[in-house]
Amino acid sequence: NTVMTQSPTSMFISVGDRVTMNCKASQNVGTNVDWYQQKTGQSPKLLIYGASNRYTGVPDRFTGSGSGTDFTLTISNMQAEDLAVYYCLQYNYNPFTFGSGTKLEIK
Amino acid sequence: EVQLVETGGGLVQPGRSLKLSCVASGFTFNNYWMSWTRQAPGKGLEWVASITNSGGSTYYPDSVKGRFTISRDNAQNTLYLQMNSLRSEDTATYYCTRGNLSPFDYWGQGVMVTVSS
């Protein structure tokens, strides 16, 4: 199975910060990577599909990049409503596999 | 507005069966792949099953293959997950998801399944 390794596990941030989190695939997955946001008590929401495409309605402070094995989600100008756990997903290989998540917490 | 509403969860004993349903609205159901994804309490996300828009093909990870069956009724805009031989490790919130630009571009609110004696 393709392992998706996310880092860091958690981050303590302040409103207005620029936040960068990473996801590394154990094999080449092309650009078949999504990023999801899950706030406490809610279901996940798609943010980025195809590694770098912002989903409908997602603010432009969210940017995805990468291809092959290394992927990045960047939040410029962090807002309080962005506090959540962020997951990456690869769908290049069966089974589809998620990373273990990066949790954003207030400093 | 896209809506996915899951039902059928609850407490079930190990080895028993349970069937989840997901009623879809707000989009043309038979145009979309559909999937189930789950999340154990306090844990991450795990893909469980997917089905093509016609229902002609289904896909599972090894963890549930042979025990779970995904199906759909396009006339009723409903997705199902039949879960047999349930184990304690199947305890999770199960989400119905729609696939379009991504395998999981829209998620329901989830339904809890607890496997315990």
Side-chain angles (χ1 to χ4, degrees):
Chain A
N1 294 353
T2 306
V3 177
M4 302 295 282
T5 302
Q6 283 189 249
S7 62
T9 303
S10 64
M11 299 179 71
F12 289 86
I13 47 81
S14 300
V15 171
D17 282 354
R18 179 182 177 86
V19 176
T20 299
M21 63 190 78
N22 302 293
C23 187
K24 188 173 185 66
S26 61
Q27 60 183 317
N28 189 331
V29 295
T31 57
N32 292 318
V33 167
D34 293 344
W35 290 92
Y36 296 84
Q37 176 194 66
Q38 186 177 32
K39 298 180 181 179
T40 301
Q42 297 185 15
S43 54
K45 288 183 170 58
L46 176 64
L47 291 178
I48 303 289
Y49 65 94
S52 61
N53 301 288
R54 212 172 285 117
Y55 189 55
T56 305
V58 173
D60 60 7
R61 63 180 179 273
F62 292 92
T63 302
S65 63
S67 65
T69 61
D70 292 288
F71 301 87
T72 299
L73 177 68
T74 300
I75 310 172
S76 61
N77 190 20
M78 174 81 185
Q79 300 297 301
E81 65 258 30
D82 301 334
L83 290 175
V85 180
Y86 292 82
Y87 295 96
C88 61
L89 162 78
Q90 72 79 23
Y91 53 95
N92 196 63
Y93 296 103
N94 184 347
F96 302 154
T97 46
F98 290 89
S100 56
T102 293
K103 185 175 184 178
L104 300 188
E105 300 177 273
I106 285 289
K107 193 180 294 182
Chain B
E1 179 194 2
V2 173
Q3 285 204 336
L4 299 170
V5 180
E6 304 98 332
T7 57
L11 174 64
V12 60
Q13 292 178 328
R16 304 297 291 264
S17 299
L18 200 64
K19 187 172 185 175
L20 306 181
S21 300
C22 168
V23 175
S25 61
F27 63 100
T28 304
F29 184 69
N30 61 12
N31 283 353
Y32 293 82
W33 279 48
M34 298 294 294
S35 300
W36 291 94
T37 305
R38 68 185 179 184
Q39 186 170 37
K43 302 296 185 183
L45 300 166
E46 181 186 17
W47 166 63
V48 171
S50 293
I51 187 168
T52 55
N53 56 325
S54 66
S57 295
T58 57
Y59 306 89
Y60 307 92
D62 287 346
S63 58
V64 306
K65 194 177 295 183
R67 299 189 300 123
F68 289 13
T69 302
I70 188 172
S71 61
R72 64 192 296 162
D73 182 341
N74 284 344
Q76 299 294 324
N77 289 351
T78 303
L79 179 73
Y80 301 102
L81 185 67
Q82 176 68 47
M83 303 184 292
N84 298 333
S85 303
L86 282 161
R87 306 167 180 168
S88 58
E89 55 263 37
D90 296 319
T91 293
T93 296
Y94 284 75
Y95 294 101
C96 171
T97 58
R98 186 187 78 169
N100 184 20
L101 298 171
S102 149
F104 317 120
D105 75 340
Y106 200 86
W107 299 57
Q109 85 287 349
V111 62
M112 185 68 200
V113 173
T114 303
V115 183
S116 174
S117 54

